[in-house]
């Protein structure tokens, strides 16, 4: 009887250890390659210094990666006979960028570590955090130990990445499908305090919306005509190269650039959160960091799942 109980105890302990071993941890590379994170930070800072818009682009890559079958670097895979690349999805085609920066980071990290031990998925997660910090935003301890997918899905990307045309109920549902709540929705949307959007994404709003400041609509129409100029850029808020709360101030003034932005302050259930983040920047910074951690944990591949890609753009064969 005692030996049977001991065996049961050993099984429980081993199961517990296995779960612990395969969970993400901020210290995953501490012994494997302690120079990995400082190397990523240095290269991200250099890329953002060279072009401040790159910070928003790297943050967006991580976001668009996590929303499609989890944070597994599937967004980085190029098209091939076996890969239906997510780069061709509506939300990514001709707009997702920063791939060369990720390639550069991967090559340098593998060189520093002496072998490919850092996953492309982890590089995306750390680069997103370091980009936010480089533009004046909060920091957080990224949980690490993700592995890279061996598949991608353009079809799933078209379904799962939130559209700039979504109204509030659609946004809430979209985030709920990823295990994220309304607070996560508003906090993560606050990432639009940095970066730009293409005319194609906001044309309908500046010409047709009624919940828009007329002078703002006129200003945006000057560079986004009714036809043509689809890829012309406009800033998502008035301080597009600085992580602050201008985004939330703009929503209260009906100067949200995207339909999905202004939906957060339109007489609905998220109005109070927008006001909270606008008035209390520290609350926004704290919630943003927490929601980024939560998002970074979506369906992560760990342990023996997936692989550590040698080249982020292709599966190891």
């Amino acid at each position: 009887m005692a030996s049977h109980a001991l065996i049961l105890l050993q099984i429980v302990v081993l199961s517990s250890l296995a779960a612990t071993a395969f969970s993400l941890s901020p210290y995953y590379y501490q012994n494997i390659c302690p120079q990995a994170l400082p190397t990523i930070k240095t290269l991200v800072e250099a890329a953002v210094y060279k072009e401040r818009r790159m910070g928003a682009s790297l943050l967006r890559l991580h976001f668009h990666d996590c929303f499609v079958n989890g944070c597994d670097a599937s967004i980085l895979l190029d098209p091939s006979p076996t890969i239906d690349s997510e780069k061709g999805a509506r939300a990514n085609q001709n707009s997702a960028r920063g791939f060369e920066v990720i390639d550069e980071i991967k090559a340098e990290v593998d060189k520093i570590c002496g072998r490919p031990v850092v996953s492309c998925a982890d590089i995306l997660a750390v680069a997103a955090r370091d980009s936010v910090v480089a533009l004046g935003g909060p920091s957080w301890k990224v949980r690490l130990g993700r592995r890279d997918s061996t598949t991608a899905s353009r079809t799933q990307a078209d379904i799962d990445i939130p559209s700039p045309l979504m109204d509030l109920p659609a946004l809430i549902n979209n985030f709920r499908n990823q295990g994220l709540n309304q607070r996560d929705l508003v906090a993560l949307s606050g990432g639009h305090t940095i970066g730009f959007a293409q005319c194609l994404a906001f044309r309908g709003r500046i010409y047709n919306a009624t919940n828009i400041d007329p002078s703002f609509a006129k200003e945006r129409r000057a560079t986004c005509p009714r036809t043509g100029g689809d890829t012309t850029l406009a800033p998502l808020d008035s301080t597009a190269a600085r992580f602050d709360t201008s985004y939330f101030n703009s929503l209260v003034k009906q100067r949200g650039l995207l339909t999905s932005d202004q939906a957060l302050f339109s007489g609905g259930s998220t109005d109070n959160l927008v006001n909270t983040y606008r008035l209390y920047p520290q609350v926004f910074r704290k919630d943003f960091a927490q929601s980024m951690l939560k998002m970074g944990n979506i369906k992560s591949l760990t342990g023996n799942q997936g692989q550590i890609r040698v080249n982020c753009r292709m599966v190891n064969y």
Side-chain angles (χ1 to χ4, degrees):
M1 194 75 175
S3 62
H4 181 66
L6 183 61
I7 289 167
L8 282 176
L9 179 62
Q10 286 173 334
I11 290 170
V12 170
V13 170
L14 286 171
S15 299
S16 174
L17 286 172
T20 304
F22 296 147
S23 63
L24 302 181
S25 163
Y27 311 107
Y28 185 82
Y29 295 107
Q30 203 166 58
N31 296 321
I32 301 173
C33 183
Q35 286 306 305
L37 268 58
T39 301
I40 296 172
K41 183 172 186 285
T42 298
L43 291 172
V44 167
E45 286 175 346
V48 173
Y49 179 79
K50 183 179 176 184
E51 183 199 6
R52 290 182 73 79
R53 181 185 165 209
M54 186 54 70
S57 298
L58 294 174
L59 174 61
R60 187 170 183 257
L61 274 185
H62 180 46
F63 182 93
H64 282 204
D65 179 41
C66 290
F67 264 59
V68 185
N69 295 322
C71 311
D72 59 3
S74 57
I75 194 172
L76 303 178
L77 289 169
D78 284 339
S80 78
T82 58
I83 297 296
D84 185 18
S85 178
E86 292 164 25
K87 293 177 180 180
R90 284 189 299 270
N92 296 326
Q93 193 171 31
N94 300 320
S95 68
R97 59 196 297 275
F99 299 110
E100 295 79 8
V101 175
I102 299 299
D103 290 341
E104 182 188 354
I105 292 171
K106 174 65 172 168
E108 190 60 28
V109 166
D110 283 356
K111 190 166 116 183
I112 292 285
C113 297
R115 64 197 194 286
V117 292
V118 181
S119 69
C120 303
D122 276 350
I123 289 172
L124 281 175
V126 175
R129 187 271 312 276
D130 291 346
S131 292
V132 167
V133 172
L135 294 173
S139 185
W140 58 93
K141 287 188 175 180
V142 180
R143 295 181 190 128
L144 302 163
R146 297 170 191 78
R147 288 170 65 85
D148 300 323
S149 70
T150 55
T151 60
S153 176
R154 180 180 54 82
T155 303
Q156 206 59 44
D158 280 334
I159 294 169
D160 289 341
I161 297 174
S163 161
L165 307 179
M166 282 182 172
D167 61 12
L168 186 59
L171 287 168
I172 290 171
N173 186 57
N174 179 277
F175 274 65
R176 186 190 296 122
N177 289 341
Q178 301 293 346
L180 301 170
N181 59 33
Q182 290 190 44
R183 201 171 190 91
D184 299 315
L185 163 62
V186 181
L188 291 172
S189 295
H192 282 180
T193 184
I194 54 175
F196 294 77
Q198 295 182 351
C199 169
L200 182 65
F202 61 84
R203 177 183 285 122
R205 173 159 164 73
I206 62 173
Y207 285 99
N208 304 318
T210 54
N211 62 340
I212 189 168
D213 175 69
S215 62
F216 176 68
K218 184 181 178 183
E219 184 185 334
R220 291 279 68 91
R221 287 173 191 162
T223 56
C224 180
R226 284 186 182 273
T227 56
D230 287 357
T231 59
T232 303
L233 297 173
L236 284 159
D237 81 359
S238 58
T239 57
R242 189 168 72 241
F243 195 98
D244 55 23
T245 54
S246 292
Y247 170 77
F248 298 109
N249 286 320
S250 69
L251 300 186
V252 172
K253 296 173 184 173
Q254 294 195 319
R255 295 171 70 91
L257 184 63
L258 306 177
T259 297
S260 58
D261 289 327
Q262 194 58 55
L264 302 179
F265 193 84
S266 56
S269 57
T270 53
D271 282 16
N272 286 340
L273 267 174
V274 169
N275 267 321
T276 298
Y277 292 157
R278 177 175 69 90
L279 296 170
Y280 304 100
Q282 288 308 315
V283 176
F284 166 52
R285 292 168 69 90
K286 175 173 162 289
D287 282 3
F288 181 82
Q290 288 182 342
S291 292
M292 285 296 293
L293 279 169
K294 193 171 171 183
M295 183 186 79
N297 211 30
I298 296 173
K299 298 180 193 168
S300 297
L301 301 175
T302 59
N304 295 320
Q305 299 171 316
Q307 60 182 215
I308 305 294
R309 286 190 220 136
V310 176
N311 180 335
C312 289
R313 293 175 182 252
M314 61 183 70
V315 173
N316 302 342
Y317 291 107

